[in-house]
Every structure is written in C-alpha cells, then in structure tokens.
Amino acid sequence: MGEEALLGVVSGKAVAAMTEEEAALELAHLAAEIERHDRAYFERDEPDISDAEYDSLRRLNAAIEARFPALARADSPSTRVGAAPSQKFAKVAHRVPMLSLGNIFSEEEAREFLDRIRRFLKLSAEAALEMTAEPKIDGLGLSLRYEAGRFAVAATRGDGVEGENVTPNALTVADIPQRLKGGPRGAFEVRGEVYMTHADFSALNEQQAAAGERAFANPRNAAAGSLRQLNPAITASRPLRFFAYSWGEAEALPGATQFDVVQAFKAWGFQVNPLMRLCRSADELLAAYREIEAQRATLGYDIDGVVYKVNDLRLQERLGFVSRSPRWAAAHKFAAEQATTILKAIDIQVGRTGALTPVAKLEPVTVGGVVVQNATLHNEDEIARKDVRVGDWVRVQRAGDVIPQILGHLPERRPSGAVPFQFPTECPVCGSAAVREAHPKTGKLDAVRRCTGGLICPAQAVERLRHFVSRNAFDIEGLGEKQIAAFFEEGRIRTPADIFTLAERDKTSLKKLKDKDGWGARSAANLFKAIEERRNISLPRFIYALGVRHIGETTAKLLAKTFRTFAAAQAALEAAADPDSEAYQHLISVDGIGEAVAQAGAQFFAEGHNREAVARLLEQVRVEDYAEERARDSAVAGLRVVFTGALERMTRDEAKAMAERLGAHVAGAVSKTTDYVIAGADAGSKLKKAQSLGVKVLTEDEWLAMTRTVSVED
C-alpha cells in the first residue's frame, strides 16, 4: 500500500508534506469530526459513515500525530473510547475501563504488531509468543457483573469509563446465564458482544414492515437498538444472542491464559466462539485470519475482522495499555465490501457551523446484505479529486454500515452529457456568500466551504439551537429536533436565551403553547418545568453548548479546568484575538488547546451578536464554577511529565505506561506547563529545552522514588 492510500490525503496534500500549522488545523478538524461520528454510532446506534471511512479518519489522525507528536491534542481521538452513555439510562461506572482495540489492515501490519510486542517485552525472534485469534463480532459491547455466581448488573461500554445500566434488558437474553455453573464465589465481570443473526434480523425487519415500523439498517444496529430499549418487554421480543470473550473486574481468574479463561466461561454456561484459535507464530496467526475470513459468508452473523491477543496473562500485564487500547491486542479488519451504482444527485446540506457538506444520492444498491442509497462526499476538493459527476456509475464500499464511501467513477460507463459538478458559492438555505477561509499564516484554504450568514441563516440557527439543548449540552427534555425547528419557524425561539423566557412570554401570548396542535396543558407545563430545571449548569456543559467551532466536549472540559469560571474563559478567548499577545501565547501553551481552538474562540467572541447572545443567556442561567475531581491516590497523579533519553530500569514505553497508570499525564514535548522531565542517558533537545525553561529534571531513580510515594485518601 502506498503512502497516499495508507495515510490519506488532506485537501490534496499527503501527511508527509504537511507543515506544522496545517497539521494542527487538521488534527482539530479530525477531533471534532470523529467525536461527531462516535456519538452517532455509540449513542444513537445510527452511524452515518462506513466503518472503512471511519477507520481512515482515525488512521489519518494517528499518522499526523506520529509525524507531529508535540501536536497531539487532549481531545485526540486516539485517547477516546466510544461516547458518553445515554441519559435515558442510569449510569454504571466500570471498575475496569472498557477500552477499544487498535486496528490493523494488512498482513504486513499484523507482523509489525507482533514485532512491536516482542520489542516491548525484549523477546528475541526465536522466543515463544503464543497468541489467540478469534472473530471480531459486529455487535454491541456488554459487561455482565456476577456476585457469588449470580447475575447482578449489565452495562454497555458507553465512553469506556461509564456505561448504561441495561440490567432488566440483559435478563431477557437467553445466552446470558442468570447463575453460573461452578463459577467464582467472588465478584466477576464477564464481557462480550450482543449480536443478532442474519436470519433473525431478516425476520425482525419483516415484522417491522408488517407493523408499519421503520426497518433496521443492519444486524448491529438492530441488536444495539433492541438492547437499549426503555421497555424490557420490547427487548424480550427481539432475538438477541451473546458471545463471551473477555472480563473486567475479577477477584480471581480461572486460568493463566486468555484461552483458558474463555474456556472457563464456556463451562460456566456462556456461549463462546468456536472459531477461537491458539497460534504460535505470525504465519499461524495469519492462517487463522484467512480461515475465519473464508467462513465469513456462512457464519450466519456479522463479523468484521479477527482479534489477536497475547495468550499469557502475565505478558498482558507487562504490556499494559496505550491511550485507548491495550498493547497486547489488536483487530485485523477485513477488506471493505464493494458494489457499483449510479450517482443520481449531489445535495448540499448546511450544518450548525455553516459547513456546506455534499451528500451523494445513489440509485439504491445492496452491498453486503444492506441497501444503501446515500454517501458523504466530504467537500468540493474530494469531488474534484475523484471527478464524480451526476449520472456517473460509481464504485462504493462499506464495511458494516449504511452509508458507503465512494471510491471513484467508472470512466467507460460515463454518460456523454455528464458535466463537472459546480460547488455552490452561495448558501442554499439563506443565500449568503459561502466561502473557504484561508489560514492567516499559510494561506491554505480550509477544506470546507462555510455560509457567512451566521445567526440569520435558518439552517445554522436551528442546528445551533439543537446543539444547545442536546444531551451533552443543556440536555433539555422535550426540546427535540422537531420542537426546535417548529419553535424557530414560529418565532417562539430564535436564540438560546429565548428558551428560558418561553414560559413567561407564553403567559401573555395570544397563541398559547398548550393550545398548539400536539400540545396540551400538561405537556406545556412539563416542558416549562424541564427548562426551569436547567437554569443551573456546569461550566464544561455551558462552554460546549455555545457551539464554538473546534470546541467539543473534551476541549470544553479542558477550558473549564484551566480557567475555572466562564468569565475567565471568555476573557482569555477574547484576549487571544491578537496572535502576538501574551494571552494568546498562554492559551496555546495549555496542553490540548492549540491555535485552532484559540482562533475559533477569539473569532466567536469577536462577533458582537455572539457576545450579545451570551450576555442575554447569562441573564437567564447560572454557570457553576469548575470543581476539580479528586485525583487518584498517587503522588504523581495530575503531573505533566516528559521522558527523554535511554532508561536503564525499563523501556521508555514501560515507563510511560506506568506513569499513566498512576495518573500522570505523559506528553511528547516540553513546555512551560511541564512539571518534570525524566532524563535517561544521551538525553538531547528535550533536556536542553527543560533547562532553558527552568523545568525540574529528574533522574530515572528519582522518578521511581517519587512514584513509590503514595498519598493517603481522605
């Protein structure tokens, strides 16, 4: 695979040719884009891009971070797992985080994965390294807690730290035993995947059609949607299955290897995948991959790859974790499935930030058992690069999701009248100019064209209001997409502050809400009550709710943690309007807040109508100052550290893993915010920079002595 195919292309430029400024902007864009897709997949069970396309976004992010490690953001997708749990369910804190797996896509990458493990463990090429290989089930991750052998709690993955409590629903799944046969007496969390077979999926969709209900797109969505029902009776009516393959908290393990523990699950009464294999070399591992791939079409359920795991649990412990995934496991993904169809039209949609996004409308085609008819085309550069035109026959691919990726057109089947697509220079909603911003330093055009209409553009205004009341922002129950759109159209709500004056205005309005179609006195009162309950809001939620470009949930939390009050955060962002100012330099020196965030915040508050809207909103709500959560009981928790040079007691990777387990933040570059630099032999530029900035430098022994100092929790 060539570099362009491996790393992706951003606005026509390969990662290898990027400047540092371009890389920072692209990382900010990727963080926001991937976070949006995570919410669609994990919260709504409605992904809007293919697995392959999503994987390419993550690989592009990883490639840029690999080339520019100092630019890695605090909200980097490489550090996130899943999405926040739905507010519809009670939350369950995972005692052991439910992490995701890193992906590999070729035999070459599989061999490199094994080589990395050997290097980390300092194993020779001849040393034994036993691995397991098993199908990667395309379903919904679930953790099952048993106490004294009895089923107690079921929780979804959520964001990896907190999941949704779906215990009543899980009780209805036949494959989940309520009491373990000869299982452990203490607490034990069995983890696995809820899924639906192809036959059951087809039967369910027939039932949906007969009842006049919407059909599910694929078995994964059907399984996830069925398990996450508020009414367990609905879940009970759905044919769900469960494979067990891992564990969380465990007072004692029933084996010393991955394979032995999974076989114990089988003895306890769980279904485990019969295709799990033990492998003792890279060749055996790849043979298992090919064997499982060859059976994919006849299994009767969806799989999208093969999972490799180090078998010896002691080696798993030594390897530990990096970012969002374990070092000792990886998912070898299958190649995406492809088909050809006709591009009927290219529609332009306007998002809440004014971004004009082209969406391909396709002649419906079945790809891998799923009917698809929409695809994103990303931006105008992507359309030009692939030279796709309305009327073209196009190649599309998917890997388990509804919306495919367009790979290109078939030149030999292009109709004679097909003309290049002209991307609009005016907003299709409000008619305002649609422009591509140029970076002030590099002159590089933004990949996205945006409407300049701001709050006068109905598309943006409605989307901004929808974002404002969304689950992870103000979370106002009863103000969904339809209600926001209707209230905006009627003029009841045009700005966020209008939401909190709605009840008072309704008292004197000739058009009472309770008299409106679909509303009554009780439903109107419930809405007013829900709004009233949100007059107090946490600082991270408030910042996120404003919808500032490049400021997602993670960045909002970082700004809140840094500035503590909204007044301080706003003042810092306003002062950052001058790139030469001390305020700007201070802001971008904060780990995770780069130029893109600083500029976006400054531009937001430079607009008078935005400042006015925020001021009006603050008259209606109270923003709580940020309260830091208590750090774990480690003397180094919360410290920002950098490792440099060759260490003697352990490899640098092991040192970083240990620091992260103890709650320290490990950075790749030295800055004013760095607390300690741990320098080994032959330390170079990082040591010099630490000395120039006055950052405390520790030897390896001094660092290890510090990590052994444990504070006592209250």
Side-chain angles (χ1 to χ4, degrees):
M1 182 181 294
E3 180 183 71
E4 296 262 313
L6 177 62
L7 301 183
V9 176
V10 182
S11 301
K13 176 168 286 192
V15 173
M18 276 186 177
T19 65
E20 189 167 338
E21 291 81 5
E22 291 170 337
L25 287 173
E26 187 59 25
L27 286 175
H29 167 73
L30 287 168
E33 185 75 358
I34 292 172
E35 183 178 24
R36 181 171 68 84
H37 292 311
D38 282 343
R39 289 199 300 271
Y41 184 90
F42 291 104
E43 290 183 19
R44 301 197 302 272
D45 303 318
E46 295 179 353
D48 52 14
I49 62 173
S50 69
D51 278 354
E53 194 170 359
Y54 176 83
D55 288 340
S56 72
L57 292 176
R58 280 196 171 274
R59 285 163 67 79
L60 175 57
N61 186 86
I64 297 174
E65 289 183 342
R67 183 160 183 255
F68 300 97
L71 297 182
R73 298 164 55 86
D75 63 344
S76 169
S78 63
T79 66
R80 293 201 311 262
V81 176
S86 169
Q87 298 299 313
K88 295 187 300 182
F89 298 92
K91 295 179 181 179
V92 175
H94 296 303
R95 292 171 171 84
V96 175
M98 290 186 72
L99 301 182
S100 296
L101 295 176
N103 291 330
I104 52 183
F105 298 89
S106 67
E107 293 193 0
E108 180 183 358
E109 290 182 10
R111 293 182 186 277
E112 172 56 26
F113 166 65
L114 292 179
D115 288 343
R116 284 198 306 271
I117 290 174
R118 289 185 178 277
R119 288 195 299 269
F120 190 99
L121 297 172
K122 296 184 178 179
L123 296 177
S124 68
E126 296 76 25
L129 179 61
E130 198 169 59
M131 305 288 295
T132 63
E134 61 188 296
K136 183 178 182 297
I137 310 301
D138 193 9
L140 178 71
L142 189 67
S143 182
L144 307 170
R145 182 175 178 82
Y146 287 81
E147 295 174 353
R150 292 182 178 274
F151 177 50
V153 178
T156 63
R157 182 190 307 276
D159 61 4
V161 178
E162 282 187 329
E164 301 152 334
N165 189 327
V166 291
T167 304
N169 300 19
L171 282 168
T172 71
V173 179
D175 286 348
I176 297 177
Q178 296 187 30
R179 185 164 186 170
L180 303 182
K181 301 174 184 177
R185 295 183 179 180
F188 200 105
E189 291 177 356
V190 175
R191 292 176 176 176
E193 206 86 3
V194 173
Y195 69 101
M196 190 176 290
T197 67
H198 295 159
D200 287 338
F201 170 71
S202 297
L204 176 61
N205 266 352
E206 289 178 4
Q207 294 173 14
Q208 292 289 102
E213 300 289 339
R214 182 171 63 92
F216 290 100
N218 54 54
R220 188 269 167 197
N221 287 13
S226 298
L227 186 70
R228 299 169 74 245
Q229 291 287 329
L230 292 179
N231 182 358
I234 297 178
T235 305
S237 71
R238 304 282 173 80
L240 297 179
R241 313 279 183 104
F242 180 79
F243 273 132
Y245 53 69
S246 186
W247 59 92
E249 183 184 31
E251 292 187 10
L253 291 175
T257 68
Q258 182 79 29
F259 191 87
D260 288 345
V261 174
V262 173
Q263 294 312 303
F265 291 167
K266 183 178 180 180
W268 293 350
F270 288 100
Q271 296 295 320
V272 302
N273 200 289
L275 295 180
M276 187 178 188
R277 299 286 184 266
L278 271 178
C279 306
R280 293 169 178 81
S281 68
D283 289 340
E284 288 187 15
L285 206 63
L286 292 171
Y289 172 87
R290 290 188 286 269
E291 175 192 354
I292 293 171
E293 184 180 32
Q295 299 180 62
R296 181 183 184 187
T298 60
L299 291 176
Y301 52 87
D302 280 346
I303 63 174
D304 57 1
V306 176
V307 177
Y308 304 145
K309 297 176 183 176
V310 171
N311 194 36
D312 191 322
L313 300 186
R314 292 172 302 175
L315 295 183
Q316 288 188 11
E317 179 73 19
R318 283 182 59 190
L319 286 160
F321 301 84
V322 55
S323 183
R324 61 192 287 273
S325 58
R327 286 189 180 87
W328 44 267
H332 190 167
K333 302 295 282 291
F334 294 138
E337 299 171 84
Q338 297 186 8
T340 59
T341 187
I342 299 174
L343 176 59
K344 296 164 52 178
I346 298 177
D347 290 350
I348 304 297
Q349 297 180 351
V350 184
R352 69 177 175 84
T353 62
L356 273 60
T357 302
V359 177
K361 298 296 181 179
L362 306 170
E363 188 69 36
V365 60
T366 299
V367 187
V370 174
V371 177
V372 295
Q373 52 191 350
N374 295 311
T376 177
L377 286 167
H378 298 296
N379 53 56
E380 57 192 282
D381 287 343
E382 182 79 356
I383 296 175
R385 185 174 71 83
K386 293 180 176 176
D387 187 26
V388 291
R389 306 178 184 184
V390 174
D392 273 347
W393 278 86
V394 293
R395 289 181 296 114
V396 297
Q397 74 173 18
R398 63 172 291 275
D401 295 318
V402 180
I403 300 181
Q405 175 185 10
I406 291 182
L407 299 177
H409 70 282
L410 306 180
E412 68 278 8
R413 303 188 71 176
R414 169 165 284 171
S416 59
V419 297
F421 181 74
Q422 297 296 316
F423 207 91
T425 56
E426 292 184 350
C427 173
V429 176
C430 72
S432 299
V435 301
R436 295 176 68 177
E437 299 173 355
H439 189 275
K441 293 183 179 179
T442 66
K444 174 194 172 186
L445 289 178
D446 191 347
V448 177
R449 189 175 291 273
R450 297 179 186 279
C451 168
T452 59
L455 293 178
I456 73 163
C457 178
Q460 290 187 69
V462 171
E463 287 300 311
R464 286 174 186 265
L465 288 167
R466 284 173 54 190
H467 173 77
F468 181 84
V469 302
S470 65
R471 180 180 298 126
N472 298 313
F474 267 74
D475 189 22
I476 299 178
E477 187 176 352
L479 273 185
E481 177 179 348
K482 293 180 180 179
Q483 291 81 7
I484 284 290
F487 287 170
F488 182 86
E489 185 69 24
E490 296 164 6
R492 293 177 187 266
I493 296 176
R494 291 295 175 124
T495 69
D498 293 340
I499 295 172
F500 295 93
T501 63
L502 182 62
E504 189 63 31
R505 286 183 284 116
D506 192 72
K507 292 178 180 178
T508 57
S509 172
L510 295 176
K511 296 182 178 180
K512 302 281 189 184
L513 180 58
K514 67 180 179 63
D515 298 326
K516 186 178 182 299
D517 287 345
W519 292 83
R522 177 176 295 180
S523 56
N526 287 340
L527 174 60
F528 297 152
K529 181 176 181 290
I531 293 172
E532 196 64 28
E533 290 174 348
R534 292 297 184 267
R535 286 193 184 270
N536 287 344
I537 187 169
S538 69
L539 180 54
R541 279 180 174 268
F542 184 81
I543 294 174
Y544 173 68
L546 296 180
V548 181
R549 191 178 171 205
H550 298 314
I551 299 182
E553 293 175 67
T554 303
T555 305
K557 291 177 182 176
L558 187 56
L559 285 167
K561 183 177 181 179
T562 301
F563 295 104
R564 305 288 175 169
T565 69
F566 179 70
Q570 179 176 347
L573 291 170
E574 287 182 353
D578 179 7
D580 297 323
S581 67
E582 183 177 342
Y584 182 84
Q585 295 302 320
H586 169 67
L587 196 60
I588 65 174
S589 72
V590 178
D591 287 345
I593 301 179
E595 292 186 3
V597 172
Q599 291 176 4
Q603 290 168 1
F604 178 87
F605 286 108
E607 292 288 342
H609 60 76
N610 287 335
R611 295 196 304 274
E612 180 182 352
V614 171
R616 287 188 57 213
L617 178 59
L618 289 172
E619 292 174 358
Q620 301 297 326
V621 302
R622 174 183 172 272
V623 183
E624 300 166 353
D625 294 346
Y626 181 78
E628 178 112 42
E629 295 180 0
R630 180 176 176 83
R632 63 180 77 180
D633 58 343
S634 162
V636 301
L639 295 180
R640 299 182 184 278
V641 299
V642 173
F643 291 90
T644 183
L647 303 180
E648 296 180 359
R649 302 288 189 87
M650 61 187 78
T651 66
R652 195 189 299 183
D653 284 339
E654 285 184 294
K656 290 180 179 178
M658 183 189 73
E660 289 169 349
R661 285 199 301 270
L662 294 173
H665 304 288
V666 180
V670 180
S671 70
K672 291 180 179 179
T673 61
T674 303
D675 292 301
Y676 293 102
V677 169
I678 297 88
D682 301 321
S685 59
K686 293 178 182 177
L687 175 59
K688 292 179 181 178
K689 186 168 184 180
Q691 292 168 339
S692 68
L693 293 175
V695 174
K696 178 71 172 178
V697 178
L698 301 177
T699 65
E700 183 179 2
D701 287 341
E702 288 172 333
W703 167 251
L704 290 175
M706 179 180 290
T707 62
R708 286 192 285 267
T709 304
V710 180
S711 61
V712 179
E713 190 171 297
D714 295 339

